[in-house]
Amino acid sequence: LPYVATRAIPLRCTDYSETSQVVALITPDMGQIHALAKGSRRAGKKVKTTPWQRLEHYDCVLSMRTKGNLHLLTEWKMRECFPIVHHDLPCQWTGYMATEIVLSCTSENVEDGKTYNCLLALLRRMQRGMDCDMARFVFLSRALRIIGCAPVTDHCVQCNGPLHGLTRFSPAGGGGLCGDCAHSDPQGTAISRGTLAILTRLGTQAGPPPSLRLTRGQRDEIQRAFNEQIQYHLGRPLRCGRFLSVFMD
Ligand SMILES: [Zn+2]
């Protein structure tokens, strides 16, 4: 069986037997994989092993089983840690949300490996002290693009014209609706043109300008739009979605 060396961020670590763990990992080259870390919880005398921890950054070696099966971790070492994700409450919840999205929306394939970079960038931004809301919005914007459900926010999805008038946000329609087309989705929610423009900036390669400051109202509108978009595509609300608004100030 082939051995593969890769980097990984654990999304979920579950105790298995007395001494081991089963971990769900996002990797750059294989997407989401599940693996057994034998003896990871054993207090070793000779070789010191430490249990896997979610949302840290690892180097590891896997003994690969057939696709979709539990692979075997043969070596691992933490290469980078993100204490803020475990100690700061808003960052913690942002971590939960990101984890839930990557767990729910990726599987074992190369293409989904792109979400690894996206998640790593989020963790690094939060650790560097970037505004947690902004870091989360940039992550959401890029992650939704990778998994193929980014909303259109730079023109009306119905008539392809500019977003003028009393604009709405319609996940079922695929994004923003202009005032003239707003009636096409009665479930759509009101969203300001300014917020749609910010959503567009968030989705660009360069990302939002460092000088961009968001008002409380804009933060709420942006998070709500993402929540609605994700809920529509997952077919259920995010488990942690309702907690996030509590921390936004
Ligand atoms: Zn329109």
Side-chain angles (χ1 to χ4, degrees), residues 9 55 82 84-85 91 94-99 102 115-128 130-140 142:
I9 302 168
L55 298 183
F82 307 100
I84 199 164
V85 181
C91 292
T94 294
Y96 283 132
M97 180 222 58
T99 304
V102 178
T115 55
Y116 155 92
N117 286 318
C118 211
L119 183 59
L120 185 58
L122 168 70
L123 297 169
R124 285 177 174 164
R125 286 194 180 100
M126 290 197 292
Q127 190 59 41
R128 276 206 313 266
M130 182 181 186
D131 172 8
C132 180
D133 290 345
M134 191 67 90
R136 183 172 65 252
F137 296 154
V138 171
F139 167 82
L140 285 166
R142 293 184 180 164

PDB file of all heavy atoms in Angstrom, residues 9 55 82 84-85 91 94-99 102 115-128 130-140 142:
ATOM      1  N   ILE A   9      -5.177  19.827   8.096  1.00  0.00           N
ATOM      2  CA  ILE A   9      -5.817  20.523   9.214  1.00  0.00           C
ATOM      3  C   ILE A   9      -6.954  19.621   9.694  1.00  0.00           C
ATOM      4  O   ILE A   9      -7.860  19.299   8.909  1.00  0.00           O
ATOM      5  CB  ILE A   9      -6.390  21.894   8.785  1.00  0.00           C
ATOM      6  CG1 ILE A   9      -5.290  22.779   8.196  1.00  0.00           C
ATOM      7  CG2 ILE A   9      -7.061  22.595   9.967  1.00  0.00           C
ATOM      8  CD1 ILE A   9      -5.824  24.033   7.496  1.00  0.00           C
ATOM      9  N   LEU A  55      -8.219  22.061  14.141  1.00  0.00           N
ATOM     10  CA  LEU A  55      -7.829  23.389  13.685  1.00  0.00           C
ATOM     11  C   LEU A  55      -6.394  23.787  14.056  1.00  0.00           C
ATOM     12  O   LEU A  55      -6.137  24.924  14.442  1.00  0.00           O
ATOM     13  CB  LEU A  55      -8.840  24.447  14.143  1.00  0.00           C
ATOM     14  CG  LEU A  55     -10.261  24.248  13.601  1.00  0.00           C
ATOM     15  CD1 LEU A  55     -11.169  25.381  14.060  1.00  0.00           C
ATOM     16  CD2 LEU A  55     -10.271  24.206  12.054  1.00  0.00           C
ATOM     17  N   PHE A  82      -2.682  27.586  16.329  1.00  0.00           N
ATOM     18  CA  PHE A  82      -3.490  28.802  16.303  1.00  0.00           C
ATOM     19  C   PHE A  82      -4.240  28.952  17.632  1.00  0.00           C
ATOM     20  O   PHE A  82      -5.441  28.715  17.702  1.00  0.00           O
ATOM     21  CB  PHE A  82      -4.467  28.760  15.121  1.00  0.00           C
ATOM     22  CG  PHE A  82      -3.794  28.482  13.811  1.00  0.00           C
ATOM     23  CD1 PHE A  82      -3.816  27.206  13.260  1.00  0.00           C
ATOM     24  CD2 PHE A  82      -3.113  29.482  13.141  1.00  0.00           C
ATOM     25  CE1 PHE A  82      -3.177  26.938  12.064  1.00  0.00           C
ATOM     26  CE2 PHE A  82      -2.468  29.218  11.943  1.00  0.00           C
ATOM     27  CZ  PHE A  82      -2.493  27.956  11.395  1.00  0.00           C
ATOM     28  N   ILE A  84      -5.440  31.324  19.235  1.00  0.00           N
ATOM     29  CA  ILE A  84      -6.589  32.240  19.291  1.00  0.00           C
ATOM     30  C   ILE A  84      -7.901  31.517  18.997  1.00  0.00           C
ATOM     31  O   ILE A  84      -8.950  31.859  19.543  1.00  0.00           O
ATOM     32  CB  ILE A  84      -6.383  33.464  18.354  1.00  0.00           C
ATOM     33  CG1 ILE A  84      -7.318  34.588  18.772  1.00  0.00           C
ATOM     34  CG2 ILE A  84      -6.563  33.086  16.882  1.00  0.00           C
ATOM     35  CD1 ILE A  84      -6.963  35.949  18.209  1.00  0.00           C
ATOM     36  N   VAL A  85      -7.837  30.481  18.163  1.00  0.00           N
ATOM     37  CA  VAL A  85      -9.044  29.738  17.783  1.00  0.00           C
ATOM     38  C   VAL A  85      -9.593  28.960  18.981  1.00  0.00           C
ATOM     39  O   VAL A  85     -10.766  28.586  19.020  1.00  0.00           O
ATOM     40  CB  VAL A  85      -8.746  28.776  16.610  1.00  0.00           C
ATOM     41  CG1 VAL A  85      -9.976  28.011  16.184  1.00  0.00           C
ATOM     42  CG2 VAL A  85      -8.180  29.556  15.449  1.00  0.00           C
ATOM     43  N   CYS A  91     -13.509  34.000  17.596  1.00  0.00           N
ATOM     44  CA  CYS A  91     -12.645  33.214  16.705  1.00  0.00           C
ATOM     45  C   CYS A  91     -12.985  31.728  16.819  1.00  0.00           C
ATOM     46  O   CYS A  91     -12.965  30.993  15.830  1.00  0.00           O
ATOM     47  CB  CYS A  91     -11.171  33.429  17.037  1.00  0.00           C
ATOM     48  SG  CYS A  91     -10.595  35.082  16.650  1.00  0.00           S
ATOM     49  N   THR A  94     -16.103  31.149  14.853  1.00  0.00           N
ATOM     50  CA  THR A  94     -15.768  31.227  13.433  1.00  0.00           C
ATOM     51  C   THR A  94     -15.102  29.916  12.999  1.00  0.00           C
ATOM     52  O   THR A  94     -15.389  29.384  11.928  1.00  0.00           O
ATOM     53  CB  THR A  94     -14.854  32.444  13.172  1.00  0.00           C
ATOM     54  OG1 THR A  94     -15.610  33.624  13.437  1.00  0.00           O
ATOM     55  CG2 THR A  94     -14.333  32.470  11.755  1.00  0.00           C
ATOM     56  N   GLY A  95     -14.251  29.378  13.873  1.00  0.00           N
ATOM     57  CA  GLY A  95     -13.617  28.086  13.609  1.00  0.00           C
ATOM     58  C   GLY A  95     -14.643  26.968  13.491  1.00  0.00           C
ATOM     59  O   GLY A  95     -14.562  26.135  12.588  1.00  0.00           O
ATOM     60  N   TYR A  96     -15.619  26.958  14.379  1.00  0.00           N
ATOM     61  CA  TYR A  96     -16.688  25.939  14.316  1.00  0.00           C
ATOM     62  C   TYR A  96     -17.428  26.011  12.997  1.00  0.00           C
ATOM     63  O   TYR A  96     -17.725  25.005  12.360  1.00  0.00           O
ATOM     64  CB  TYR A  96     -17.703  26.137  15.446  1.00  0.00           C
ATOM     65  CG  TYR A  96     -17.256  25.653  16.801  1.00  0.00           C
ATOM     66  CD1 TYR A  96     -17.395  26.452  17.931  1.00  0.00           C
ATOM     67  CD2 TYR A  96     -16.701  24.385  16.961  1.00  0.00           C
ATOM     68  CE1 TYR A  96     -16.981  26.022  19.178  1.00  0.00           C
ATOM     69  CE2 TYR A  96     -16.280  23.948  18.210  1.00  0.00           C
ATOM     70  CZ  TYR A  96     -16.427  24.767  19.312  1.00  0.00           C
ATOM     71  OH  TYR A  96     -16.018  24.334  20.540  1.00  0.00           O
ATOM     72  N   MET A  97     -17.762  27.258  12.616  1.00  0.00           N
ATOM     73  CA  MET A  97     -18.530  27.458  11.393  1.00  0.00           C
ATOM     74  C   MET A  97     -17.753  26.991  10.168  1.00  0.00           C
ATOM     75  O   MET A  97     -18.272  26.269   9.319  1.00  0.00           O
ATOM     76  CB  MET A  97     -18.886  28.948  11.263  1.00  0.00           C
ATOM     77  CG  MET A  97     -19.681  29.277  10.048  1.00  0.00           C
ATOM     78  SD  MET A  97     -19.068  30.791   9.307  1.00  0.00           S
ATOM     79  CE  MET A  97     -17.366  30.347   9.002  1.00  0.00           C
ATOM     80  N   ALA A  98     -16.471  27.387  10.115  1.00  0.00           N
ATOM     81  CA  ALA A  98     -15.631  27.001   8.981  1.00  0.00           C
ATOM     82  C   ALA A  98     -15.510  25.485   8.919  1.00  0.00           C
ATOM     83  O   ALA A  98     -15.595  24.874   7.847  1.00  0.00           O
ATOM     84  CB  ALA A  98     -14.252  27.647   9.115  1.00  0.00           C
ATOM     85  N   THR A  99     -15.338  24.867  10.100  1.00  0.00           N
ATOM     86  CA  THR A  99     -15.223  23.412  10.171  1.00  0.00           C
ATOM     87  C   THR A  99     -16.481  22.739   9.644  1.00  0.00           C
ATOM     88  O   THR A  99     -16.418  21.781   8.873  1.00  0.00           O
ATOM     89  CB  THR A  99     -15.021  22.986  11.650  1.00  0.00           C
ATOM     90  OG1 THR A  99     -13.884  23.657  12.157  1.00  0.00           O
ATOM     91  CG2 THR A  99     -14.823  21.497  11.764  1.00  0.00           C
ATOM     92  N   VAL A 102     -16.651  23.013   5.804  1.00  0.00           N
ATOM     93  CA  VAL A 102     -15.701  22.140   5.096  1.00  0.00           C
ATOM     94  C   VAL A 102     -16.092  20.670   5.267  1.00  0.00           C
ATOM     95  O   VAL A 102     -16.066  19.897   4.314  1.00  0.00           O
ATOM     96  CB  VAL A 102     -14.240  22.401   5.566  1.00  0.00           C
ATOM     97  CG1 VAL A 102     -13.284  21.461   4.859  1.00  0.00           C
ATOM     98  CG2 VAL A 102     -13.839  23.854   5.300  1.00  0.00           C
ATOM     99  N   THR A 115     -10.096  23.967  -0.458  1.00  0.00           N
ATOM    100  CA  THR A 115     -10.643  24.533   0.779  1.00  0.00           C
ATOM    101  C   THR A 115      -9.611  24.501   1.907  1.00  0.00           C
ATOM    102  O   THR A 115      -9.740  25.229   2.884  1.00  0.00           O
ATOM    103  CB  THR A 115     -11.924  23.794   1.242  1.00  0.00           C
ATOM    104  OG1 THR A 115     -11.640  22.402   1.373  1.00  0.00           O
ATOM    105  CG2 THR A 115     -13.067  23.994   0.279  1.00  0.00           C
ATOM    106  N   TYR A 116      -8.594  23.636   1.755  1.00  0.00           N
ATOM    107  CA  TYR A 116      -7.510  23.596   2.759  1.00  0.00           C
ATOM    108  C   TYR A 116      -6.805  24.956   2.823  1.00  0.00           C
ATOM    109  O   TYR A 116      -6.610  25.513   3.903  1.00  0.00           O
ATOM    110  CB  TYR A 116      -6.531  22.463   2.406  1.00  0.00           C
ATOM    111  CG  TYR A 116      -5.124  22.612   2.918  1.00  0.00           C
ATOM    112  CD1 TYR A 116      -4.749  22.071   4.150  1.00  0.00           C
ATOM    113  CD2 TYR A 116      -4.168  23.288   2.166  1.00  0.00           C
ATOM    114  CE1 TYR A 116      -3.450  22.205   4.609  1.00  0.00           C
ATOM    115  CE2 TYR A 116      -2.872  23.426   2.634  1.00  0.00           C
ATOM    116  CZ  TYR A 116      -2.512  22.891   3.844  1.00  0.00           C
ATOM    117  OH  TYR A 116      -1.227  23.040   4.294  1.00  0.00           O
ATOM    118  N   ASN A 117      -6.440  25.509   1.674  1.00  0.00           N
ATOM    119  CA  ASN A 117      -5.765  26.811   1.638  1.00  0.00           C
ATOM    120  C   ASN A 117      -6.634  27.911   2.226  1.00  0.00           C
ATOM    121  O   ASN A 117      -6.167  28.810   2.912  1.00  0.00           O
ATOM    122  CB  ASN A 117      -5.404  27.192   0.199  1.00  0.00           C
ATOM    123  CG  ASN A 117      -4.235  26.367  -0.292  1.00  0.00           C
ATOM    124  OD1 ASN A 117      -3.279  26.145   0.448  1.00  0.00           O
ATOM    125  ND2 ASN A 117      -4.321  25.883  -1.520  1.00  0.00           N
ATOM    126  N   CYS A 118      -7.897  27.807   1.909  1.00  0.00           N
ATOM    127  CA  CYS A 118      -8.887  28.768   2.360  1.00  0.00           C
ATOM    128  C   CYS A 118      -9.005  28.765   3.896  1.00  0.00           C
ATOM    129  O   CYS A 118      -9.019  29.803   4.543  1.00  0.00           O
ATOM    130  CB  CYS A 118     -10.178  28.256   1.759  1.00  0.00           C
ATOM    131  SG  CYS A 118     -11.364  29.397   1.355  1.00  0.00           S
ATOM    132  N   LEU A 119      -9.057  27.556   4.459  1.00  0.00           N
ATOM    133  CA  LEU A 119      -9.162  27.392   5.910  1.00  0.00           C
ATOM    134  C   LEU A 119      -7.862  27.814   6.591  1.00  0.00           C
ATOM    135  O   LEU A 119      -7.887  28.502   7.617  1.00  0.00           O
ATOM    136  CB  LEU A 119      -9.490  25.928   6.234  1.00  0.00           C
ATOM    137  CG  LEU A 119      -9.707  25.579   7.711  1.00  0.00           C
ATOM    138  CD1 LEU A 119     -10.845  26.396   8.307  1.00  0.00           C
ATOM    139  CD2 LEU A 119      -9.996  24.083   7.870  1.00  0.00           C
ATOM    140  N   LEU A 120      -6.734  27.448   5.996  1.00  0.00           N
ATOM    141  CA  LEU A 120      -5.438  27.824   6.560  1.00  0.00           C
ATOM    142  C   LEU A 120      -5.293  29.349   6.594  1.00  0.00           C
ATOM    143  O   LEU A 120      -4.842  29.927   7.579  1.00  0.00           O
ATOM    144  CB  LEU A 120      -4.312  27.184   5.739  1.00  0.00           C
ATOM    145  CG  LEU A 120      -2.884  27.378   6.245  1.00  0.00           C
ATOM    146  CD1 LEU A 120      -2.727  26.848   7.666  1.00  0.00           C
ATOM    147  CD2 LEU A 120      -1.886  26.696   5.310  1.00  0.00           C
ATOM    148  N   ALA A 121      -5.722  29.998   5.516  1.00  0.00           N
ATOM    149  CA  ALA A 121      -5.653  31.462   5.456  1.00  0.00           C
ATOM    150  C   ALA A 121      -6.538  32.079   6.545  1.00  0.00           C
ATOM    151  O   ALA A 121      -6.150  33.061   7.180  1.00  0.00           O
ATOM    152  CB  ALA A 121      -6.087  31.949   4.076  1.00  0.00           C
ATOM    153  N   LEU A 122      -7.700  31.504   6.770  1.00  0.00           N
ATOM    154  CA  LEU A 122      -8.589  32.012   7.822  1.00  0.00           C
ATOM    155  C   LEU A 122      -7.908  31.919   9.189  1.00  0.00           C
ATOM    156  O   LEU A 122      -7.902  32.884   9.956  1.00  0.00           O
ATOM    157  CB  LEU A 122      -9.899  31.197   7.837  1.00  0.00           C
ATOM    158  CG  LEU A 122     -10.801  31.432   9.058  1.00  0.00           C
ATOM    159  CD1 LEU A 122     -11.427  32.828   9.021  1.00  0.00           C
ATOM    160  CD2 LEU A 122     -11.904  30.375   9.156  1.00  0.00           C
ATOM    161  N   LEU A 123      -7.337  30.768   9.490  1.00  0.00           N
ATOM    162  CA  LEU A 123      -6.694  30.564  10.796  1.00  0.00           C
ATOM    163  C   LEU A 123      -5.529  31.527  10.980  1.00  0.00           C
ATOM    164  O   LEU A 123      -5.355  32.123  12.042  1.00  0.00           O
ATOM    165  CB  LEU A 123      -6.221  29.106  10.917  1.00  0.00           C
ATOM    166  CG  LEU A 123      -7.339  28.052  10.876  1.00  0.00           C
ATOM    167  CD1 LEU A 123      -6.754  26.647  10.739  1.00  0.00           C
ATOM    168  CD2 LEU A 123      -8.227  28.146  12.107  1.00  0.00           C
ATOM    169  N   ARG A 124      -4.746  31.716   9.923  1.00  0.00           N
ATOM    170  CA  ARG A 124      -3.597  32.632  10.008  1.00  0.00           C
ATOM    171  C   ARG A 124      -4.047  34.079  10.188  1.00  0.00           C
ATOM    172  O   ARG A 124      -3.460  34.831  10.951  1.00  0.00           O
ATOM    173  CB  ARG A 124      -2.727  32.501   8.759  1.00  0.00           C
ATOM    174  CG  ARG A 124      -1.905  31.224   8.773  1.00  0.00           C
ATOM    175  CD  ARG A 124      -1.100  31.056   7.516  1.00  0.00           C
ATOM    176  NE  ARG A 124      -0.224  29.898   7.611  1.00  0.00           N
ATOM    177  CZ  ARG A 124       0.377  29.327   6.574  1.00  0.00           C
ATOM    178  NH1 ARG A 124       0.199  29.819   5.355  1.00  0.00           N
ATOM    179  NH2 ARG A 124       1.151  28.277   6.739  1.00  0.00           N
ATOM    180  N   ARG A 125      -5.096  34.460   9.471  1.00  0.00           N
ATOM    181  CA  ARG A 125      -5.593  35.837   9.597  1.00  0.00           C
ATOM    182  C   ARG A 125      -6.087  36.103  11.015  1.00  0.00           C
ATOM    183  O   ARG A 125      -5.805  37.151  11.596  1.00  0.00           O
ATOM    184  CB  ARG A 125      -6.732  36.088   8.608  1.00  0.00           C
ATOM    185  CG  ARG A 125      -6.263  36.225   7.186  1.00  0.00           C
ATOM    186  CD  ARG A 125      -7.365  36.806   6.305  1.00  0.00           C
ATOM    187  NE  ARG A 125      -6.871  36.919   4.939  1.00  0.00           N
ATOM    188  CZ  ARG A 125      -7.155  36.048   3.978  1.00  0.00           C
ATOM    189  NH1 ARG A 125      -7.981  35.042   4.203  1.00  0.00           N
ATOM    190  NH2 ARG A 125      -6.646  36.187   2.775  1.00  0.00           N
ATOM    191  N   MET A 126      -6.832  35.161  11.576  1.00  0.00           N
ATOM    192  CA  MET A 126      -7.346  35.358  12.935  1.00  0.00           C
ATOM    193  C   MET A 126      -6.188  35.416  13.928  1.00  0.00           C
ATOM    194  O   MET A 126      -6.171  36.245  14.833  1.00  0.00           O
ATOM    195  CB  MET A 126      -8.334  34.254  13.304  1.00  0.00           C
ATOM    196  CG  MET A 126      -9.642  34.344  12.527  1.00  0.00           C
ATOM    197  SD  MET A 126     -11.000  33.398  13.257  1.00  0.00           S
ATOM    198  CE  MET A 126     -10.445  31.711  13.012  1.00  0.00           C
ATOM    199  N   GLN A 127      -5.201  34.541  13.739  1.00  0.00           N
ATOM    200  CA  GLN A 127      -4.058  34.513  14.653  1.00  0.00           C
ATOM    201  C   GLN A 127      -3.265  35.822  14.573  1.00  0.00           C
ATOM    202  O   GLN A 127      -2.740  36.291  15.562  1.00  0.00           O
ATOM    203  CB  GLN A 127      -3.163  33.305  14.330  1.00  0.00           C
ATOM    204  CG  GLN A 127      -2.074  33.030  15.349  1.00  0.00           C
ATOM    205  CD  GLN A 127      -2.630  32.779  16.754  1.00  0.00           C
ATOM    206  OE1 GLN A 127      -3.636  32.100  16.914  1.00  0.00           O
ATOM    207  NE2 GLN A 127      -2.011  33.360  17.760  1.00  0.00           N
ATOM    208  N   ARG A 128      -3.214  36.409  13.374  1.00  0.00           N
ATOM    209  CA  ARG A 128      -2.501  37.691  13.201  1.00  0.00           C
ATOM    210  C   ARG A 128      -3.283  38.864  13.780  1.00  0.00           C
ATOM    211  O   ARG A 128      -2.794  39.981  13.816  1.00  0.00           O
ATOM    212  CB  ARG A 128      -2.278  37.965  11.711  1.00  0.00           C
ATOM    213  CG  ARG A 128      -1.052  37.306  11.123  1.00  0.00           C
ATOM    214  CD  ARG A 128      -0.545  38.074   9.904  1.00  0.00           C
ATOM    215  NE  ARG A 128      -1.608  38.415   8.955  1.00  0.00           N
ATOM    216  CZ  ARG A 128      -1.926  37.670   7.911  1.00  0.00           C
ATOM    217  NH1 ARG A 128      -1.280  36.554   7.671  1.00  0.00           N
ATOM    218  NH2 ARG A 128      -2.904  38.043   7.098  1.00  0.00           N
ATOM    219  N   MET A 130      -6.420  39.882  12.613  1.00  0.00           N
ATOM    220  CA  MET A 130      -7.350  40.537  11.689  1.00  0.00           C
ATOM    221  C   MET A 130      -8.751  40.486  12.295  1.00  0.00           C
ATOM    222  O   MET A 130      -9.098  39.531  12.985  1.00  0.00           O
ATOM    223  CB  MET A 130      -7.347  39.792  10.351  1.00  0.00           C
ATOM    224  CG  MET A 130      -8.241  40.409   9.281  1.00  0.00           C
ATOM    225  SD  MET A 130      -8.153  39.396   7.756  1.00  0.00           S
ATOM    226  CE  MET A 130      -9.116  40.376   6.617  1.00  0.00           C
ATOM    227  N   ASP A 131      -9.521  41.530  12.070  1.00  0.00           N
ATOM    228  CA  ASP A 131     -10.926  41.576  12.469  1.00  0.00           C
ATOM    229  C   ASP A 131     -11.568  40.214  12.142  1.00  0.00           C
ATOM    230  O   ASP A 131     -11.580  39.775  10.996  1.00  0.00           O
ATOM    231  CB  ASP A 131     -11.585  42.719  11.674  1.00  0.00           C
ATOM    232  CG  ASP A 131     -13.096  42.776  11.838  1.00  0.00           C
ATOM    233  OD1 ASP A 131     -13.629  42.044  12.680  1.00  0.00           O
ATOM    234  OD2 ASP A 131     -13.719  43.573  11.115  1.00  0.00           O
ATOM    235  N   CYS A 132     -12.085  39.582  13.180  1.00  0.00           N
ATOM    236  CA  CYS A 132     -12.597  38.216  13.056  1.00  0.00           C
ATOM    237  C   CYS A 132     -13.761  38.121  12.059  1.00  0.00           C
ATOM    238  O   CYS A 132     -13.843  37.172  11.275  1.00  0.00           O
ATOM    239  CB  CYS A 132     -13.023  37.745  14.435  1.00  0.00           C
ATOM    240  SG  CYS A 132     -13.673  36.101  14.483  1.00  0.00           S
ATOM    241  N   ASP A 133     -14.657  39.118  12.077  1.00  0.00           N
ATOM    242  CA  ASP A 133     -15.776  39.122  11.124  1.00  0.00           C
ATOM    243  C   ASP A 133     -15.247  39.172   9.695  1.00  0.00           C
ATOM    244  O   ASP A 133     -15.675  38.428   8.825  1.00  0.00           O
ATOM    245  CB  ASP A 133     -16.679  40.349  11.330  1.00  0.00           C
ATOM    246  CG  ASP A 133     -17.477  40.266  12.623  1.00  0.00           C
ATOM    247  OD1 ASP A 133     -17.550  39.169  13.207  1.00  0.00           O
ATOM    248  OD2 ASP A 133     -18.015  41.312  13.037  1.00  0.00           O
ATOM    249  N   MET A 134     -14.284  40.070   9.466  1.00  0.00           N
ATOM    250  CA  MET A 134     -13.736  40.242   8.118  1.00  0.00           C
ATOM    251  C   MET A 134     -13.041  38.956   7.664  1.00  0.00           C
ATOM    252  O   MET A 134     -13.216  38.517   6.521  1.00  0.00           O
ATOM    253  CB  MET A 134     -12.754  41.421   8.115  1.00  0.00           C
ATOM    254  CG  MET A 134     -12.340  41.855   6.738  1.00  0.00           C
ATOM    255  SD  MET A 134     -13.715  42.563   5.805  1.00  0.00           S
ATOM    256  CE  MET A 134     -13.547  44.288   6.277  1.00  0.00           C
ATOM    257  N   ALA A 135     -12.271  38.347   8.567  1.00  0.00           N
ATOM    258  CA  ALA A 135     -11.582  37.092   8.232  1.00  0.00           C
ATOM    259  C   ALA A 135     -12.613  36.034   7.857  1.00  0.00           C
ATOM    260  O   ALA A 135     -12.427  35.278   6.899  1.00  0.00           O
ATOM    261  CB  ALA A 135     -10.748  36.628   9.419  1.00  0.00           C
ATOM    262  N   ARG A 136     -13.708  35.995   8.600  1.00  0.00           N
ATOM    263  CA  ARG A 136     -14.755  34.998   8.335  1.00  0.00           C
ATOM    264  C   ARG A 136     -15.438  35.264   6.985  1.00  0.00           C
ATOM    265  O   ARG A 136     -15.692  34.349   6.219  1.00  0.00           O
ATOM    266  CB  ARG A 136     -15.782  35.011   9.473  1.00  0.00           C
ATOM    267  CG  ARG A 136     -16.868  33.949   9.320  1.00  0.00           C
ATOM    268  CD  ARG A 136     -17.748  33.853  10.554  1.00  0.00           C
ATOM    269  NE  ARG A 136     -18.525  35.054  10.807  1.00  0.00           N
ATOM    270  CZ  ARG A 136     -18.308  35.929  11.780  1.00  0.00           C
ATOM    271  NH1 ARG A 136     -17.333  35.749  12.627  1.00  0.00           N
ATOM    272  NH2 ARG A 136     -19.074  37.000  11.925  1.00  0.00           N
ATOM    273  N   PHE A 137     -15.709  36.546   6.710  1.00  0.00           N
ATOM    274  CA  PHE A 137     -16.391  36.887   5.454  1.00  0.00           C
ATOM    275  C   PHE A 137     -15.517  36.530   4.241  1.00  0.00           C
ATOM    276  O   PHE A 137     -16.015  36.040   3.236  1.00  0.00           O
ATOM    277  CB  PHE A 137     -16.768  38.372   5.422  1.00  0.00           C
ATOM    278  CG  PHE A 137     -17.770  38.776   6.484  1.00  0.00           C
ATOM    279  CD1 PHE A 137     -17.824  40.086   6.949  1.00  0.00           C
ATOM    280  CD2 PHE A 137     -18.656  37.847   7.019  1.00  0.00           C
ATOM    281  CE1 PHE A 137     -18.747  40.462   7.930  1.00  0.00           C
ATOM    282  CE2 PHE A 137     -19.584  38.208   8.007  1.00  0.00           C
ATOM    283  CZ  PHE A 137     -19.620  39.533   8.456  1.00  0.00           C
ATOM    284  N   VAL A 138     -14.227  36.800   4.359  1.00  0.00           N
ATOM    285  CA  VAL A 138     -13.313  36.452   3.260  1.00  0.00           C
ATOM    286  C   VAL A 138     -13.307  34.931   3.068  1.00  0.00           C
ATOM    287  O   VAL A 138     -13.396  34.425   1.943  1.00  0.00           O
ATOM    288  CB  VAL A 138     -11.874  36.977   3.525  1.00  0.00           C
ATOM    289  CG1 VAL A 138     -10.899  36.430   2.496  1.00  0.00           C
ATOM    290  CG2 VAL A 138     -11.860  38.505   3.510  1.00  0.00           C
ATOM    291  N   PHE A 139     -13.246  34.201   4.182  1.00  0.00           N
ATOM    292  CA  PHE A 139     -13.280  32.734   4.103  1.00  0.00           C
ATOM    293  C   PHE A 139     -14.563  32.256   3.416  1.00  0.00           C
ATOM    294  O   PHE A 139     -14.523  31.433   2.492  1.00  0.00           O
ATOM    295  CB  PHE A 139     -13.191  32.114   5.509  1.00  0.00           C
ATOM    296  CG  PHE A 139     -13.525  30.647   5.513  1.00  0.00           C
ATOM    297  CD1 PHE A 139     -12.558  29.706   5.170  1.00  0.00           C
ATOM    298  CD2 PHE A 139     -14.804  30.201   5.819  1.00  0.00           C
ATOM    299  CE1 PHE A 139     -12.876  28.350   5.136  1.00  0.00           C
ATOM    300  CE2 PHE A 139     -15.133  28.849   5.784  1.00  0.00           C
ATOM    301  CZ  PHE A 139     -14.162  27.925   5.435  1.00  0.00           C
ATOM    302  N   LEU A 140     -15.707  32.762   3.882  1.00  0.00           N
ATOM    303  CA  LEU A 140     -16.993  32.309   3.346  1.00  0.00           C
ATOM    304  C   LEU A 140     -17.083  32.565   1.851  1.00  0.00           C
ATOM    305  O   LEU A 140     -17.514  31.717   1.071  1.00  0.00           O
ATOM    306  CB  LEU A 140     -18.139  33.025   4.078  1.00  0.00           C
ATOM    307  CG  LEU A 140     -18.406  32.508   5.493  1.00  0.00           C
ATOM    308  CD1 LEU A 140     -19.308  33.466   6.260  1.00  0.00           C
ATOM    309  CD2 LEU A 140     -19.035  31.124   5.432  1.00  0.00           C
ATOM    310  N   ARG A 142     -14.657  32.853  -0.338  1.00  0.00           N
ATOM    311  CA  ARG A 142     -13.793  31.964  -1.129  1.00  0.00           C
ATOM    312  C   ARG A 142     -14.265  30.514  -1.057  1.00  0.00           C
ATOM    313  O   ARG A 142     -14.241  29.802  -2.058  1.00  0.00           O
ATOM    314  CB  ARG A 142     -12.353  32.083  -0.635  1.00  0.00           C
ATOM    315  CG  ARG A 142     -11.847  33.473  -0.973  1.00  0.00           C
ATOM    316  CD  ARG A 142     -10.415  33.714  -0.632  1.00  0.00           C
ATOM    317  NE  ARG A 142     -10.111  35.099  -1.030  1.00  0.00           N
ATOM    318  CZ  ARG A 142      -9.065  35.766  -0.634  1.00  0.00           C
ATOM    319  NH1 ARG A 142      -8.190  35.198   0.171  1.00  0.00           N
ATOM    320  NH2 ARG A 142      -8.870  37.005  -1.037  1.00  0.00           N
TER     321      ARG A 142
END
